[in-house]
Amino acid sequence: MNIQQPRSSVTAPNDLGAYWMPFTANRAFKATPRMLAGAKDMHYFTTDGRQIIDGAAGMWCSNAGHCRPAISEAIAKQAATLDFAPPFQFGHPQAFELASRIVGLAPKGLDHVFFCNSGSEAVDTALKIALAYHATKGDAARTRLIGRERGYHGVGFGGISVGGLVNNRKLFGSLLAGVDHLPTTYDREKQAFTKGEPEWGAHLADELERIVGIHGASTIAAVIVEPMAGSTGVLVAPKGYLKRLREICDKYGILLIFDEVITGFGRLGYAFAAERYGVLPDMITFAKGITNGAVPMGGVLIRGDIHDTFMKGPEHIVEFFHGYTYSAHPLACAAGLATLDLYREEKLFERARGLEPMWADAVMTLRNEPNVVDIRTVGITAGIDLATKNNAPGLRGMEALGSAFFDHDLMLRVAGDTLALTPPLIVTEAQVGEIIDKVARVIRAVA
Ligand SMILES: Cc1ncc(COP(=O)(O)O)c(C=O)c1O
């Protein structure tokens, strides 16, 4: 089947000036635009008619591949039936159905869902639930939030406050008061070229004890971590680390939030990484894969008794003063339901689990390519660190992004000088080979 789109189907715009692009080197982009016009399954199509293999699932979202008819058709049907329903004081059936379906996939005990529209909103929602939960229980002194160095939790003020990436924080004022950070779990000397969870690093969870020692447990509301820190370059949780964090949180009555915006919906071979690690957090944030990236949606899974704490007082009063105009948007719910059907029918989470050893072996073949200083893999994800070029962090990464797109018909993600690979879970073994071969050629091209 020829899946190439006609060159004339989408033309490149002449004027790129007005759009201020997010997290983009705008001037460099506008000088040599990487313009996408279409997508199907494992590929993107460019406005100049090239077919690009997607090594990034868009941006960690399109786990079932692109433009899957079941999802597109569900969205179109929903748009023609109920385009919008106010989520405050009104509902629509798909919202309730989707919440139940997500709960069905979640670890037992997480049995309520609060919907929003992005990972950033999910994180801010979870942090607010944590604060309000303690306050509602009469524990109003528990206001301190703990994140982690090199953590990424989106771009809301809550998310950048608990996040640990300096560029996302340093220009934005005082952020939230009362935030501390655990140390990063990454140490190249101890962990380089590990497949899956590193042996070294569980003890870093004990730093939470130190923070408790400084502030007192009675001031700490919640800890938020990514089970696998994706945006900072694929940092995999060391063996036993998350369990240890859970134990310390339990000891001191601190809520544990897993930010699963990337790891949710199959990326690590399970519906949620919590299942992979056998650790039950009090809340899970999700986004991206819930709709296969086709419509913006995010949400928070919440432990039953936390939810129930709010369900008190006069019944005509709103229980939680939070929400978004587009919470549980009908199009997002339709996309979510169709996406979950597809994940189930095609057993994509199991598929990812089965593919992981082959994937990890294939990625590790890159270790002898020039300037490769570390490779990490987990699930269908890999981070490949390249040595910094000319004392200019991020330069080699940007060159790799351009070389991949223009010269090797490959989409990958970069974080500084780290290449992140995270293809759709429908990727075949032959396509894994193709992606790795292209990455090798990209790495040589930017040597
Ligand atoms: C762990 C994590 N949390 C939150 C976010 C923010 O999601 P969004 O860009 O949808 O706001 C991301 C985005 O990559 C993420 O990786």
Side-chain angles (χ1 to χ4, degrees):
M1 185 178 68
N2 179 14
I3 52 173
Q4 195 94 9
Q5 296 215 334
R7 289 173 75 106
S8 57
S9 65
V10 181
T11 52
N14 292 324
D15 185 356
L16 307 185
Y19 177 27
W20 186 352
M21 299 172 71
F23 274 121
T24 297
N26 274 253
R27 288 158 300 157
F29 179 95
K30 289 171 189 180
T32 48
R34 293 175 291 275
M35 206 72 86
L36 304 170
K40 184 83 191 109
D41 300 329
M42 279 296 300
H43 293 92
Y44 276 108
F45 308 102
T46 63
T47 46
D48 58 355
R50 290 181 301 119
Q51 178 176 308
I52 303 272
I53 191 160
D54 182 6
M59 229 166 87
W60 318 85
C61 329
S62 306
N63 293 350
H66 297 282
C67 289
R68 300 298 306 267
I71 301 172
S72 313
E73 284 159 19
I75 296 167
K77 188 167 162 223
Q78 187 64 51
T81 311
L82 179 69
D83 55 351
F84 177 78
F88 304 172
Q89 309 287 11
F90 295 89
H92 64 95
Q94 286 80 6
F96 296 91
E97 194 184 338
L98 183 59
S100 300
R101 291 282 300 278
I102 295 169
V103 164
L105 288 173
K108 209 163 176 309
L110 299 180
D111 50 18
H112 288 81
V113 177
F114 197 102
F115 283 118
C116 51
N117 310 285
S118 67
S120 300
E121 289 179 1
V123 165
D124 280 16
T125 299
L127 298 177
K128 286 175 75 174
I129 291 173
L131 295 173
Y133 163 72
H134 290 300
T136 303
K137 281 203 330 171
D139 235 353
R142 281 193 186 263
T143 56
R144 190 167 285 277
L145 300 167
I146 314 292
R148 192 168 59 188
E149 292 164 7
R150 295 193 68 175
Y152 181 67
H153 301 290
V155 293
F157 273 102
I160 61 173
S161 300
V162 291
L165 297 176
V166 61
N167 288 331
N168 295 356
R169 296 164 51 88
K170 67 183 181 190
L171 299 182
F172 305 113
S174 53
L175 310 182
L176 286 189
V179 172
D180 277 71
H181 291 80
L182 292 163
T184 177
T185 59
Y186 180 61
D187 185 319
R188 184 174 296 157
E189 275 190 20
K190 306 276 194 333
Q191 299 169 339
F193 297 103
T194 301
K195 289 182 201 163
E197 292 74 18
E199 295 291 337
W200 183 93
H203 65 281
L204 294 167
D206 295 342
E207 286 293 308
L208 183 55
E209 290 271 10
R210 192 183 56 80
I211 293 173
V212 167
I214 298 170
H215 299 292
S218 62
T219 70
I220 302 176
V223 173
I224 181 166
V225 293
E226 303 153 272
M228 180 273 291
S231 301
T232 187
V234 184
L235 310 183
V236 186
K239 273 184 195 150
Y241 174 87
L242 295 169
K243 212 154 178 241
R244 201 114 144 213
L245 219 45
R246 175 74 274 179
E247 285 161 8
I248 301 169
C249 285
D250 282 346
K251 184 169 157 193
Y252 296 111
I254 299 167
L255 296 182
L256 179 61
I257 304 165
F258 281 178
D259 185 347
E260 296 226 31
V261 165
I262 281 178
T263 54
F265 304 105
R267 187 50 52 195
L268 300 198
Y270 296 82
F272 294 97
E275 191 183 339
R276 177 177 173 121
Y277 295 112
V279 177
L280 180 66
D282 302 296
M283 285 185 261
I284 288 177
T285 54
F286 62 86
K288 298 191 187 264
I290 177 59
T291 61
N292 205 37
V295 182
M297 177 172 244
V300 186
L301 271 157
I302 302 130
R303 218 180 62 203
D305 64 296
I306 296 177
H307 163 269
D308 294 348
T309 302
F310 290 83
M311 299 300 136
K312 297 194 177 119
E315 291 198 2
H316 69 286
I317 300 290
V318 168
E319 293 103 354
F320 181 45
F321 285 86
H322 180 74
Y324 303 89
T325 298
Y326 300 120
S327 284
H329 191 282
L331 268 58
C333 291
L337 286 167
T339 297
L340 295 188
D341 285 345
L342 213 51
Y343 290 160
R344 182 176 59 198
E345 283 157 19
E346 299 188 354
K347 296 192 169 41
L348 288 184
F349 306 163
E350 295 86 339
R351 181 185 162 70
R353 213 181 307 161
L355 213 52
E356 179 170 347
M358 181 267 166
W359 166 258
D361 287 348
V363 180
M364 281 297 169
T365 62
L366 298 168
R367 66 184 293 166
N368 295 320
E369 295 297 336
N371 300 305
V372 172
V373 291
D374 187 18
I375 299 178
R376 302 168 289 280
T377 66
V378 67
I380 304 300
T381 298
I384 304 162
D385 290 349
L386 301 180
T388 300
K389 184 173 182 176
N390 299 346
N391 276 330
L395 177 60
R396 182 171 267 126
M398 276 305 288
E399 288 178 357
L401 184 72
S403 170
F405 185 81
F406 291 113
D407 302 331
H408 298 94
D409 293 341
L410 167 70
M411 178 184 282
L412 40 71
R413 286 208 57 68
V414 296
D417 291 312
T418 301
L419 314 183
L421 298 177
T422 175
L425 308 179
I426 58 168
V427 67
T428 63
E429 294 199 14
Q431 286 165 332
V432 169
E434 181 187 342
I435 290 169
I436 299 304
D437 180 57
K438 286 180 181 229
V439 174
R441 286 190 277 131
V442 167
I443 294 173
R444 285 173 221 153
V446 299

